[in-house]
Amino acid sequence: MKTPAVSRREFLRVTALAGGGLAIGYVLPGQMFAQGNLLDNTARQFTPNPFITITPENIITILAKNPETGQGVKTHLPMIVADELDADFNTIVIEQAGLRSDVGPQFAGGSRSTPDNYMRLRVAGATARVMLVEAAAQTWNVPVGELTTEKGKVLHLASGRSLTYGQLATKAATLPIPDEKTVRLKKEGEFRIMGSRVGGVDNPAIVTGKALFGIDQKLPGMVYAAYEKCPVYGGKVVSANTERIKKLPGVLDCFILEGTGNVSGLAPGVAIIATSTWAAFSAKKSLYVEWDESSGDGHNSEAYETQAEVLARSPGTNQRNDGDVNAAFASAAYTVEGNYSYPFLNHATLEPQGCTAWARDGGIEFWTTSQTPGAGQDLVASTVKLPKEKIKLNFVRGGGGFGRRLANDYMAEAAAIAMRTNGAPVKLTWTREDDMRHDCYHRPGGFHFLKGAVDASGKLIAWHDHFVTFGYRGTDKPASSAGMSPDELPARFIPNFRFDQSIIATMVPTGPMRAPGSNGLAFVMQGFIDELAHAAGRDPVDFRLDLLGPDRVVAPSTGQRGVPYDTARMKGVIRLAAEKSGWGKRQLPKGEGMGIAFHFSHSGYVAMVAHVAVDQDGMLTVKEVTAAVDVGPIINLSGAENQVEGSVMDGLGTIWQQEMTYLDGRAVQSNFNDFPLLRINYAPKVAVHFLESANPPTGLGEPAYPVVPPAICNAIFAATGKRIRRWPIAKSDLSWS
């Protein structure tokens, strides 16, 4: 069937709601007739999937299109629409979208929500405002130029008249859509909502304990499930005492699932369905499974470290070779060598994985916290062999994501279990131990064997990094999130640079965690740069500014997703962090020190200064962290500060106390007793300063996180003279005399 050509103006045509009203939405190409004929203006019951809905009762609803896992998109994306619409943000209704095909990509990851949606949502709001103004002009028979808008009203100042958007909605619904190229967007200084402080729209519900999160979902006739997987990655079920489990109190069924062989999909295991989560968890403790654990042989953390040391003495595979590193080392005034490493990490979301699934009418409906719901729909379709259109996804708030919910393994499990519940909805919940040991995307560890050199003037002239990383299941390429770009700083910024790489095979499934790659690499690069600055006898701030060189935009060759590196913006945040922290102007007592670090991550420029104290017995106190950030214009100042402050707490807890280790292919750590989170009495004071620029806005969920570990560790060196080259800090002796 041939689809008629429809212009963008036609596809944006406003249609009235059943009772009259205005609805504006963007439909993706190829989806224009998914829910009705936009060209038939008599089809008033048809509503395109809108970002904005306005009823004659003056109810303005704005769609929150992306999944919310605490990063604030449910608040700040609607703020963009509301500002250009000139609505009163205090009175609008924000509706959480489910998975749909007409609003553009729907995911939470890569700090992409703001840059991917900023202009799209501004145009949506501005287009609606233009049409409402035109409706008022026709109603009053006055020129459009005499009208203004403010807080959901159109005003005619000359006559003192005003109409609410609701009063104009039915009229506006009959007007043609203006060409978006002719729609005027607000200019700097005209924004009333963006750039202000707005509390999260879910905050009242969160603090009063309303049922918001995935784990809170309840449906009539619901049953509850737990799922046991092999503690060894890649292990399979040989047998299980399922018949005994079926006889336990509250248990409705128990069965083996063979799995699909997909590391981020349905792993082999044993499912328990019960009348409550408690009954399912209790029965799980009595479950006995004989596993085939042969896949874990030889996969141990100690063995990985030994392999890394052996591989470091081999040539490795060269990834970049600029200038003549050996000659530069031979002529250098000072050389420094150091071995850095960082461990595997767990995402440790406060809400463990799980979701609710209801198999009925030949399909499955989900209530999910997925960060990648589209990929989740694909995974479920392939797992249970259903057409995608039979799989409906509702988004519910996730209790933390950080990249863990980019994987949808728990959705595949819930789908397979739901097919066995005879039409009852089922809520699958992982235990904390399940979540810790089966983090589908463990942040991969890595080892860096470094040598650097400075000349007699104290300038960095040479750098060699032999990076030993991990490849999944014996591949000769880095596993997911285990690689390093040949562009990684200080590449491109010094004349003599060599980067070699070696691979260790692992069975641990790896993948992205908040600021993938950068969250370990910044610790290494900024720590070793600091070592070289001190070896040269130079101020660490001046040394870094000198490294970046003159103001310019450095083109990428392979890294940072093709994003250029603006040295002026980076130097701007370095100077701002130094200024606001009082760098070089404070006399600190013995045992206290300040450290600086910077990093370019997900197109954001961030620098931090940490101030720490270490007593003679080695007790660490992080007193203050000063952050300077340039991610373009700020949408929600409250949310932006929250993201940076959260990054500091997350990064500090990680570098201080956390690591995942493995023994014969299984995770050793299992709960917060051996993978601790940062406690409030260890939290530092955090000062956040934004250097707002006219550049397009970028995301903020990730750029600040990588800077925290090196800033803390560089400050520890300044306080004690002891260099931290491996995580966690808790394993280092910081005592001094």
Side-chain angles (χ1 to χ4, degrees):
M1 176 180 176
K2 185 176 180 180
T3 301
V6 180
S7 71
R8 185 172 182 82
R9 294 178 65 187
E10 289 292 353
F11 105 75
L12 286 174
R13 181 171 297 281
V14 180
T15 55
L17 301 176
L22 172 66
I24 292 181
Y26 289 88
V27 184
L28 295 181
Q31 301 295 326
M32 297 176 181
F33 300 95
Q35 299 189 36
N37 187 347
L38 285 175
L39 301 181
D40 180 5
N41 288 326
T42 65
R44 291 182 178 273
Q45 75 279 6
F46 172 76
T47 304
N49 297 299
F51 290 116
I52 303 169
T53 303
I54 303 174
T55 71
E57 294 77 25
N58 203 33
I59 298 173
I60 301 175
T61 301
I62 296 180
L63 194 72
K65 65 182 286 289
N66 282 9
E68 174 64 68
T69 62
Q71 78 279 39
V73 293
K74 190 176 178 181
T75 302
H76 82 251
L77 290 186
M79 285 175 66
I80 299 170
V81 180
D83 205 329
E84 288 287 359
L85 178 62
D86 244 353
D88 183 352
F89 197 76
N90 293 320
T91 63
I92 66 171
V93 175
I94 294 180
E95 176 188 339
Q96 176 64 68
L99 184 64
R100 52 202 299 172
S101 61
D102 55 359
V103 293
Q106 293 177 278
F107 65 91
S111 294
R112 295 303 310 168
S113 291
T114 299
D116 286 351
N117 292 286
Y118 182 66
M119 290 307 298
R120 174 197 294 267
L121 297 181
R122 286 188 65 187
V123 170
T127 300
R129 174 169 44 82
V130 166
M131 296 178 70
L132 290 161
V133 169
E134 177 62 31
Q138 292 186 19
T139 300
W140 291 325
N141 194 27
V142 298
V144 166
E146 293 183 7
L147 304 180
T148 59
T149 57
E150 182 178 331
K151 290 190 173 182
K153 294 181 179 180
V154 179
L155 311 175
H156 186 235
L157 298 179
S159 64
R161 288 177 291 182
S162 67
L163 288 170
T164 67
Y165 287 174
Q167 290 171 314
L168 294 165
T170 301
K171 176 74 173 176
T174 67
L175 300 178
I177 297 290
D179 187 335
E180 68 175 50
K181 295 178 181 178
T182 68
V183 173
R184 178 187 176 274
L185 300 179
K186 289 185 176 182
K187 297 178 181 178
E188 186 67 31
E190 295 181 330
F191 298 120
R192 293 189 173 105
I193 299 173
M194 287 193 285
S196 65
R197 295 180 186 274
V198 175
V201 296
D202 284 340
N203 286 1
I206 291 171
V207 299
T208 55
K210 297 294 192 301
L212 286 177
F213 297 91
I215 205 169
D216 297 326
Q217 303 308 304
K218 292 183 179 179
L219 294 170
M222 178 182 285
V223 295
Y224 303 82
Y227 193 56
E228 180 78 356
K229 296 181 284 291
C230 183
V232 171
Y233 301 109
K236 299 178 181 179
V237 181
V238 176
S239 64
N241 60 339
T242 56
E243 293 304 315
R244 180 178 182 277
I245 299 301
K246 291 177 184 178
K247 299 175 183 178
L248 295 177
V251 174
L252 301 173
D253 200 1
C254 180
F255 50 89
I256 295 171
L257 291 173
E258 297 297 332
T260 58
N262 183 350
V263 65
S264 59
L266 179 61
V270 182
I272 298 172
I273 302 174
T275 55
S276 68
T277 298
W278 176 254
F281 283 4
S282 297
K284 194 165 178 274
K285 293 178 181 178
S286 298
L287 185 64
Y288 173 78
V289 185
E290 180 185 354
W291 303 102
D292 176 357
E293 301 182 353
S294 58
S295 60
D297 291 348
H299 289 280
N300 303 299
S301 292
E302 289 185 3
Y304 290 158
E305 189 163 347
T306 300
Q307 290 178 63
E309 292 172 353
V310 171
L311 288 170
R313 295 192 290 270
S314 68
T317 302
N318 183 250
Q319 306 293 313
R320 184 172 188 133
N321 192 13
D322 297 337
D324 190 334
V325 171
N326 291 332
F329 284 139
S331 65
Y334 308 98
T335 60
V336 177
E337 295 188 50
N339 301 338
Y340 279 71
S341 65
Y342 42 86
F344 283 79
L345 292 174
N346 190 283
H347 293 87
T349 60
L350 285 182
E351 179 185 15
Q353 310 317 302
C355 65
T356 298
W358 194 351
R360 53 178 174 160
D361 302 326
I364 305 180
E365 184 172 3
F366 284 88
W367 289 261
T368 179
T369 59
S370 172
Q371 291 181 242
T372 54
Q377 184 186 54
D378 290 339
L379 178 63
V380 169
S382 64
T383 299
V384 296
K385 310 304 180 188
L386 284 176
K388 284 175 58 174
E389 58 269 21
K390 290 290 187 178
I391 301 166
K392 178 182 178 181
L393 271 65
N394 304 292
F395 299 173
V396 290
R397 189 181 181 99
F402 317 116
R404 174 56 181 93
R405 300 182 200 274
L406 294 172
N408 296 288
D409 45 340
Y410 52 90
M411 285 186 63
E413 294 169 7
I417 295 170
M419 302 297 279
R420 302 279 292 264
T421 62
N422 297 317
V426 58
K427 179 162 69 176
L428 170 69
T429 305
W430 288 20
T431 65
R432 178 61 59 195
E433 289 76 12
D434 292 334
D435 200 31
M436 193 68 68
R437 290 171 173 158
H438 293 284
D439 189 345
C440 187
Y441 285 155
H442 288 268
R443 194 295 302 275
F447 306 87
H448 295 258
F449 299 84
L450 298 161
K451 184 176 181 180
V454 293
D455 63 16
S457 66
K459 188 176 184 65
L460 179 57
I461 59 169
W463 181 288
H464 180 207
D465 182 6
H466 190 149
F467 176 35
V468 181
T469 187
F470 291 91
Y472 187 68
R473 290 187 174 179
T475 178
D476 59 354
K477 296 181 179 179
S480 176
S481 296
M484 183 172 83
S485 166
D487 282 353
E488 187 68 44
L489 190 134
R492 298 178 292 165
F493 289 87
I494 56 177
N496 307 290
F497 181 91
R498 184 178 177 89
F499 164 35
D500 298 317
Q501 180 177 275
S502 296
I503 303 291
I504 298 173
T506 183
M507 285 300 295
V508 180
T510 69
M513 192 178 86
R514 192 174 193 174
S518 297
N519 54 36
L521 296 174
F523 160 68
V524 175
M525 306 309 164
Q526 290 294 314
F528 198 55
I529 287 171
D530 208 67
E531 289 199 49
L532 289 160
H534 283 281
R538 296 189 61 190
D539 177 84
V541 170
D542 292 339
F543 189 80
R544 286 169 168 81
L545 293 173
D546 185 46
L547 169 63
L548 291 170
D551 293 352
R552 66 201 189 282
V553 175
V554 180
S557 54
T558 59
Q560 281 297 318
R561 304 175 185 175
V563 178
Y565 196 120
D566 190 326
T567 62
R569 294 179 71 183
M570 186 59 81
K571 290 192 294 182
V573 295
I574 292 172
R575 291 185 177 113
L576 182 60
E579 174 196 342
K580 295 297 185 180
S581 67
W583 182 273
K585 299 177 181 178
R586 301 166 63 178
Q587 293 294 324
L588 300 179
K590 187 173 177 57
E592 293 191 20
M594 297 173 71
I596 189 165
F598 70 86
H599 196 67
F600 177 55
S601 174
H602 292 74
S603 300
Y605 299 82
V606 181
M608 290 185 187
V609 173
H611 175 198
V612 310
V614 183
D615 68 20
Q616 287 184 294
D617 294 329
M619 179 63 70
L620 171 65
T621 300
V622 181
K623 300 172 73 70
E624 185 174 5
V625 175
T626 303
V629 181
D630 180 355
V631 289
I634 299 299
I635 309 301
N636 181 2
L637 184 56
S638 176
E641 289 174 340
N642 177 276
Q643 288 283 46
V644 178
E645 291 165 352
S647 291
V648 171
M649 302 308 165
D650 201 0
L652 174 55
T654 299
I655 187 71
W656 201 340
Q657 304 178 92
Q658 295 175 357
E659 67 174 336
M660 292 296 296
T661 58
Y662 305 95
L663 180 62
D664 292 330
R666 68 181 67 203
V668 174
Q669 289 72 26
S670 63
N671 211 313
F672 291 143
N673 64 304
D674 49 15
F675 194 87
L677 303 184
L678 188 74
R679 297 302 182 108
I680 194 168
N681 54 314
Y682 291 115
K685 177 182 177 182
V686 180
V688 183
H689 305 277
F690 292 104
L691 191 61
E692 294 196 57
S693 63
N695 294 282
T698 56
L700 195 47
E702 290 161 292
Y705 179 93
V707 189
V708 182
I712 300 293
C713 292
N714 292 342
I716 289 172
F717 175 79
T720 66
K722 294 192 172 183
R723 184 63 66 179
I724 305 297
R725 290 175 171 166
R726 62 182 301 165
W727 296 11
I729 295 171
K731 288 191 172 182
S732 297
D733 178 10
L734 301 183
S735 60
W736 51 272
S737 60

